[in-house]
Amino acid sequence: MKLGIFYSDLRGNHDMLFRLKGEKIGVFLVGNGIYHATIKEKGEPSPILQKKEIDYYVLSEDLSTRGFSTDEVDSDIKVITYSDLTDLIMNDYDKLAWL
Amino acid sequence: MGTLTIGVFSSLIGSMNLDFAVKLAETAADKGHNVNLWLSGNATTAAKKGQKEYKDYSYLIKKISGLQKKGVQVAACEACSEARGIHAGEDIIEGITSIGMDWYVAKAAKSDRVLHIGVE
C-alpha cells in the first residue's frame, strides 16, 4: 500500500503518524501543517520530519498565505502546488489519510 | 484520468479544511478527473443558501457553483443538514443534492482515490 497522509495542524498526533505503515509513505503538509516545514523549536526541526523513508511535501499556497517563502523550507521537503498534489494523489499514492 | 471522492466534516467558517477540499476538487476537475464532493457534519453549512460574503470570512458559494459547472458532483448529508436547520428544498443551494450517506459510500466504493477529512 502506498499511503498519502495529510497533516493539517501544528499540534497533532505524531504517534499516529509513525504507527501508519506502507511500502511507500508520503506526508503532505497543508494548512497549519506547513509550520512543520518552516519553524524550528529549540533549534530542532519538527519531530515528524525524522523518518528518512518518508517523502515530505508542503503546499506552496499554504506557505505563502502564512508569509513563508520556499527557501525557508527544510531541504528534505518538496514544495508542491495543488496541481502537483493532484498528480501525486491520483498517481503515486493509492490510499489517503487526513490526520 | 481517475475518480476522486472527497468527504468533508469541517466547518465553513473557522477551519480552512473545507477551503482546501474545494480547491483540491477544483484542481482535480481542471485536470480532467471525475470528482465527487460530500459535505457532512458541520460542512453542510457550506450548502446553505443566503450566505453573506464578507472579506475576511470563507465564502465558498461561488466556488462550489463553479465546481458544479466543471462537472463535480456535490452532495450534502440530509440528516446532518436537517439537524442543523438546513432543510432540503428551502435552504440548500440549487444543484447540491441533499441525500443520505449511502451516496457517499457508493461514490467512494467506485472511486480510484478517497480522501476523508474528518476533523475541524
Side-chain angles (χ1 to χ4, degrees):
Chain A
M1 177 176 67
K2 295 171 185 154
L3 179 59
I5 303 167
F6 287 81
Y7 222 73
S8 65
D9 230 329
L10 177 55
R11 298 290 169 234
N13 187 335
H14 305 340
D15 306 335
M16 171 85 78
L17 171 64
F18 293 140
R19 285 206 304 265
L20 292 169
K21 299 285 179 254
E23 73 195 77
K24 174 182 165 91
I25 292 188
V27 168
F28 302 114
L29 301 170
V30 300
N32 288 335
I34 65 101
Y35 289 116
H36 289 286
T38 52
I39 60 174
K40 289 187 165 54
E41 289 185 290
K42 302 189 186 90
E44 289 297 319
S46 165
I48 72 165
L49 300 182
Q50 287 156 19
K51 289 277 181 173
K52 287 306 158 212
E53 64 277 20
I54 290 180
D55 293 314
Y56 295 97
Y57 307 92
V58 64
L59 191 57
S60 56
E61 194 169 306
D62 289 349
L63 269 178
S64 55
T65 47
R66 288 163 177 79
F68 291 99
S69 62
T70 51
D71 41 271
E72 294 174 271
V73 171
D74 189 291
S75 55
D76 292 337
I77 302 170
K78 192 159 187 255
V79 179
I80 59 173
T81 63
Y82 271 96
S83 182
D84 301 326
L85 175 60
T86 303
D87 292 339
L88 283 164
I89 63 176
M90 294 308 288
N91 303 314
D92 295 19
Y93 296 96
D94 44 36
K95 291 288 181 262
L96 305 171
W98 182 280
L99 296 188
Chain B
M1 289 300 126
T3 298
L4 168 66
T5 292
I6 305 172
V8 197
F9 269 51
S10 321
S11 305
L12 170 64
I13 308 285
S15 161
M16 294 302 285
N17 293 343
L18 191 49
D19 300 73
F20 170 85
V22 168
K23 264 183 221 155
L24 181 60
E26 183 179 36
T27 306
D30 286 343
K31 292 174 85 81
H33 298 292
N34 298 310
V35 183
N36 304 300
L37 180 61
W38 166 254
L39 306 172
S40 65
N42 289 336
T44 53
T45 51
K48 188 175 182 317
K49 278 183 194 170
Q51 298 168 40
K52 193 167 171 59
E53 185 171 11
Y54 288 103
K55 193 166 58 66
D56 44 11
Y57 274 66
S58 293
Y59 175 79
L60 294 174
I61 284 190
K62 286 179 195 154
K63 279 259 185 197
I64 288 176
S65 63
L67 290 182
Q68 294 168 317
K69 289 188 184 87
K70 293 174 195 265
V72 175
Q73 291 190 44
V74 185
C77 171
E78 186 171 25
C80 295
S81 307
E82 296 287 340
R84 288 161 175 80
I86 301 171
H87 304 303
E90 309 156 43
D91 298 314
I92 292 203
I93 297 165
E94 213 169 302
I96 294 183
T97 310
S98 176
I99 196 164
M101 176 167 272
D102 46 346
W103 181 93
Y104 180 40
V105 174
K107 293 291 184 189
K110 280 183 259 155
S111 293
D112 300 292
R113 299 291 184 271
V114 178
L115 172 59
H116 183 75
I117 305 176
V119 296
E120 271 306 330

